[in-house]
Amino acid sequence: MATIFDIVKLSYGEYYNATKDPEIYTWPLMDNSLPVISILSVYLLIVLKIGPKIMDQRKPYSLRSTLVIYNFAMVIVSVILTLWPVVTKCISFLYQDGCHPTQELSKMNYKAASYTWLFMITKIIELADTVFFILRKKYNQVSFLHVYHHSSTLLYSWIHLKYLPGLQGIIMGFLNSGVHIIMYFYYMLSAMGPAYQKYLWWKKYITIIQMVQFILMMTYMTGTLVFSCDLPKIVSIYFNLISIIFLLLFINFYNRAYTKKSI
């Protein structure tokens, strides 16, 4: 019986056959879904049950130095992930009527796959965000949006790399990493103590930037659907749906966190 992934592969046609690379399946975590599913299962178990239970009778940890170092490191990683598509020219297809030349498709797709894999690994590292919240007993920060965003981004990245290869993923990673430079810089300042609180007035604007990010993603993905090109339509639809879900969740968060408070 054909699975949904078999149907997806068939819908790719020549694009899938031209861009798939068996070497990708030998990369760590890419052979099958068990490693990623296990990571997410442990993450959710810690977040929803084990973590709060362990911290129940304990005082919250400060973790100031750890958080400063961690967030600084994530700023650097985000800068690298933002610059990579530019340096490797993976993002150059944006300026060629929305498509990359067919003769370079296979080579560019491999670069895109390498980028997506590294992006996916950073999503595993970023799961530590939630663990730090729990250790500090900042349970109000462990919202549905926070947990869903962290876990689903990892899962979506893996599915894209394993079953839906396409250059569109570069745009998602490029924009997301650009936003994370700002976000983790904010977190770093926040972790540095009360003396830096006066520099943190722009917190709500991070959420606005995140929403703009999803609108830009949707605009680009819609463009690849409208204009004839070599990019697989199903990948654009996939990322469009993801962007819509995230945008709605962030709009809801913004309304609850900022709009209602100002009324």
Side-chain angles (χ1 to χ4, degrees), residues 16-69:
Y16 184 84
N17 292 326
T19 59
K20 68 177 180 179
D21 191 333
E23 183 181 340
I24 294 174
Y25 304 140
T26 67
W27 296 352
L29 307 180
M30 296 314 302
D31 181 43
N32 59 71
S33 62
L34 183 59
V36 168
I37 296 300
S38 298
I39 291 171
L40 287 175
S41 297
V42 171
Y43 168 71
L44 293 174
L45 192 60
I46 290 174
V47 169
L48 301 178
K49 191 172 183 65
I50 297 178
K53 185 175 182 179
I54 290 176
M55 292 303 299
D56 185 46
Q57 300 300 322
R58 289 179 169 84
K59 294 182 179 180
Y61 295 97
S62 172
L63 303 178
R64 177 177 294 184
S65 298
T66 300
L67 288 172
V68 171
I69 295 172

Side-chain angles (χ1 to χ4, degrees), residues 169-203:
I170 287 291
I171 303 304
M172 302 291 282
F174 173 76
L175 292 173
N176 182 260
S177 299
V179 172
H180 278 202
I181 294 175
I182 302 171
M183 184 184 76
Y184 280 110
F185 180 72
Y186 174 90
Y187 288 156
M188 183 183 71
L189 290 179
S190 178
M192 293 173 71
Y196 291 86
Q197 294 301 308
K198 60 184 177 181
Y199 302 116
L200 302 178
W201 54 266
W202 45 283
K203 180 179 180 181

Side-chain angles (χ1 to χ4, degrees), residues 111-178:
K111 289 183 179 179
S114 301
Y115 177 83
T116 302
W117 184 85
L118 181 59
F119 180 83
M120 180 187 70
I121 294 301
T122 66
K123 298 303 114 178
I124 296 176
I125 298 173
E126 288 175 9
L127 297 179
D129 291 357
T130 320
V131 176
F132 291 142
F133 281 141
I134 291 175
L135 291 176
R136 297 164 64 209
K137 286 194 169 183
K138 300 286 186 179
Y139 298 132
N140 61 312
Q141 301 287 342
V142 188
S143 62
F144 171 79
L145 173 58
H146 175 88
V147 176
Y148 174 79
H149 182 258
H150 276 67
S151 55
S152 63
T153 304
L154 169 57
L155 183 60
Y156 292 153
S157 300
W158 186 87
I159 292 174
H160 166 56
L161 184 56
K162 180 75 172 181
Y163 295 110
L164 296 169
L167 290 169
Q168 294 98 311
I170 287 291
I171 303 304
M172 302 291 282
F174 173 76
L175 292 173
N176 182 260
S177 299

